[in-house]
Amino acid sequence: MAFSMATRTHKLAQPKANRLSYPDRRSVYWLDELPPERTGPHTKIHLTPRWSELCRSKKLHTQVTLSPIWEVSEWALRAVPSKRLCSLAQPRAPAAGWEPERPLLVPLNRATQTAVATARVSQLAQPKRRQAQENSGHKSKPVSMTHLPCRASAHTELLSTPKHEHPGFAGGRSVCWPVSRAARSYVAGERLLELSVPKARKALFEGYDPYIVSQAARSASPSPRIQELSLPLPRKCSSK
């Protein structure tokens, strides 16, 4: 037992063979030994007898049956059916409660033809009579509750009154309105003319720098309120 364990340990201690040393390695073999090399140019396949039989083309039957009556073999004439076959050949019997369909015109018996109706049956056989309304020869429909005369309450009449416009409501201004004489003879001041002039800006290819900070912005001092808002919240300040 000890000798076999030592032999097994010695075998496992040997390094694995380098499979990359073979130049013609067509696949990866998860085997202890490489498969035998192929000598032929391709794999030879041997067909089994069943494969050879399936490869054959089907034979078409050229014989055409001219008559629907054909000759019955001697074995078919002498065949004797079994009990199971005879029981299956019997037609299926209808259900126990099955009844055939009744014809459309059922013949009446003598008693039905000579029956005499009672006074109650004759009364029920009469059509219903409707009372004709006065001054109307046509059928009248029932009057709905919405067409009946009714009087609204004082609160309902108060709510139905339309609202009046506010005294200060000026209405919609006309699209065209006259310009006053003072507006036409007004002379703009220097500050207004200065503000009305658009800012002259150069394009990027003409030397304009959008990130330059003006002198006024660099020399500006924030107000106490801005300094207060710029400070972080005390609850978010952690003491180290």
Side-chain angles (χ1 to χ4, degrees), residues 8-29:
R8 177 62 177 169
T9 304
H10 181 73
K11 182 179 180 180
L12 294 175
Q14 296 297 327
K16 293 183 179 181
N18 187 10
R19 305 296 181 183
L20 299 177
S21 59
Y22 299 91
D24 188 12
R25 192 175 64 88
R26 302 183 182 180
S27 180
V28 178
Y29 303 97

Side-chain angles (χ1 to χ4, degrees), residues 186-200:
Y186 180 78
V187 179
E190 296 180 0
R191 178 58 178 170
L192 189 60
L193 294 175
E194 181 182 356
L195 294 176
S196 63
V197 176
K199 292 184 179 180

Side-chain angles (χ1 to χ4, degrees), residues 170-184:
R173 190 173 182 180
S174 178
V175 179
C176 299
W177 60 88
V179 183
S180 62
R181 187 178 182 82
R184 286 181 292 177

Side-chain angles (χ1 to χ4, degrees), residues 66-85:
L66 301 178
S67 175
I69 302 175
W70 57 87
E71 183 181 357
V72 183
S73 63
E74 184 179 357
W75 293 102
L77 294 174
R78 297 180 181 180
V80 179
S82 60
K83 295 182 179 180
R84 176 61 177 169
L85 189 60

Side-chain angles (χ1 to χ4, degrees), residues 39 54-55 88 105 112-113 122 124 128 149 167 170 174 179 188 198 218 227:
T39 56
L54 294 176
C55 291
L88 294 176
L105 300 177
T112 305
Q113 294 178 359
S122 301
L124 294 176
K128 292 184 178 181
S174 178
V179 183
R218 286 183 287 180
Q227 291 181 358

